[in-house]
Amino acid sequence: MTFTNRLHQLETQLHTKSPIVLANCRVFFDFDNTMTISDVLDDVIRRFSINDQWIALEKAWHEEKIGTKECLEGQLRNVRITKSALHKFLTKVELDPHFHKLLAFLVREGIKPVILSDSFTYIIEWILNYHGIKDLKVYANSLRFYREHIIPSFPYDNPFCLTCAHCKKIHLTKDKTEDKLIVYVGDGRSDFCPARVSDVVFAKDNLLRFMTKEGMPCIPYKDLGDVHHYFQEILIRGKKSH
């Protein structure tokens, strides 16, 4: 299905807010494996764990026997890394090759995207700064260093949700108004909750499988080049209508 047809389909489903107009969108991104080409936090845990206990925790998490908070606390308990070693490792992280272009487009159109992640603000902001990206709002978990230990904390934890360590949907619902469309771009399990309360969802991998299983409308994407194309379609159509 073409992007134009996707737009028409979404506008039919969102008839109270159609047509979709770029200026009326608020845009939220997941980080790991959405803005980056790999899951950075998983890579850190895999590389710097002193044993293989993280594997059993990951398995229990995938089987939904434990939540993300319990999983992360257990996994990070066995990570040994200094701040300088972490920085060196993070220099190897690659952003989606289309991210800079997409970000420049959104900013040029007056949209300030927000990052919502179940990773850690420190890691995300360090990566963004390393790639010359500043002033993006990031909501994520917190960490502090103690010798070679990483101590996590979870300022956006929702005790009524056992799935996520960071309840992303609170950032969407608190700003949800009648004249703004919430656009969410994600890939994984931590994106299930925010996807439920978003108007337009870009989905790949686990999030796409979830949306399909639940019968919820979404736009499949392979990389952020697809997302950039979508926003261009909205802008072009908006200009033609004037």
Side-chain angles (χ1 to χ4, degrees):
M1 183 180 291
T2 67
F3 279 94
T4 301
N5 288 338
R6 287 281 182 189
L7 282 171
H8 178 72
Q9 180 189 62
L10 283 167
E11 288 173 348
T12 300
Q13 293 162 334
L14 301 170
H15 58 87
T16 57
K17 297 182 179 181
S18 64
I20 296 175
V21 179
L22 192 60
N24 288 341
C25 294
R26 299 202 68 231
V27 183
F28 298 84
F29 289 92
D30 172 51
F31 188 73
D32 283 353
N33 204 41
T34 297
M35 293 173 62
T36 61
I37 64 171
S38 65
D39 192 308
V40 179
L41 184 56
D42 279 358
D43 292 343
V44 169
I45 292 169
R46 188 178 298 110
R47 169 64 179 81
F48 294 100
S49 289
I50 58 175
N51 54 44
D52 291 336
Q53 290 181 14
W54 68 270
I55 298 175
L57 288 163
E58 191 79 7
K59 184 174 184 292
W61 178 75
H62 278 293
E63 294 173 351
E64 300 184 16
K65 294 178 180 177
I66 61 174
T68 304
K69 181 178 177 181
E70 183 180 349
C71 181
L72 285 177
E73 286 176 330
Q75 289 179 325
L76 291 178
R77 200 172 293 126
N78 295 306
V79 167
R80 297 293 181 272
I81 186 173
T82 62
K83 187 181 290 188
S84 60
L86 176 62
H87 293 171
K88 184 177 180 181
F89 185 80
L90 295 180
T91 62
K92 302 173 185 177
V93 173
E94 295 181 56
L95 297 179
D96 180 293
H98 303 279
F99 175 69
H100 281 90
K101 178 174 64 176
L102 173 59
L103 177 61
F105 175 83
L106 292 174
V107 171
R108 188 167 61 247
E109 296 303 320
I111 297 174
K112 294 183 178 180
V114 177
I115 298 173
L116 305 178
S117 176
D118 233 352
S119 182
F120 295 90
T121 303
Y122 182 92
I123 291 175
I124 295 168
E125 290 184 341
W126 197 95
I127 293 169
L128 293 175
N129 287 332
Y130 181 77
H131 288 275
I133 300 167
K134 302 183 185 298
D135 301 324
L136 276 188
K137 187 63 179 177
V138 177
Y139 293 102
N141 301 314
S142 301
L143 62 78
R144 63 184 176 87
F145 292 89
Y146 177 71
R147 296 179 181 173
E148 294 188 349
H149 295 261
I150 292 178
I151 314 298
S153 58
F154 305 94
Y156 304 110
D157 178 33
N158 181 351
F160 300 103
C161 177
L162 300 179
T163 302
C164 308
H166 169 198
C167 183
K168 296 182 180 183
K169 68 181 181 182
I170 64 174
H171 307 292
L172 278 63
T173 54
K174 72 178 181 181
D175 292 321
K176 198 170 178 66
T177 61
E178 288 302 315
D179 61 341
K180 290 290 183 181
L181 284 171
I182 302 299
V183 179
Y184 190 84
V185 187
D187 77 293
R189 185 172 158 189
S190 71
D191 303 312
F192 293 179
C193 290
R196 289 183 182 277
V197 296
S198 297
D199 298 301
V200 179
V201 177
F202 284 91
K204 67 177 181 178
D205 300 342
N206 285 335
L207 179 59
L208 178 57
R209 287 188 283 272
F210 169 77
M211 299 293 285
T212 303
K213 180 181 177 182
E214 296 293 316
M216 299 168 64
C218 68
I219 300 177
Y221 75 102
K222 293 181 179 179
D223 56 40
L224 295 183
D226 292 339
V227 181
H228 181 239
H229 185 180
Y230 171 88
F231 280 116
Q232 285 181 312
E233 289 272 357
I234 297 176
L235 183 63
I236 291 170
R237 290 192 330 149
K239 289 180 177 178
K240 286 182 178 178
S241 65
H242 284 84

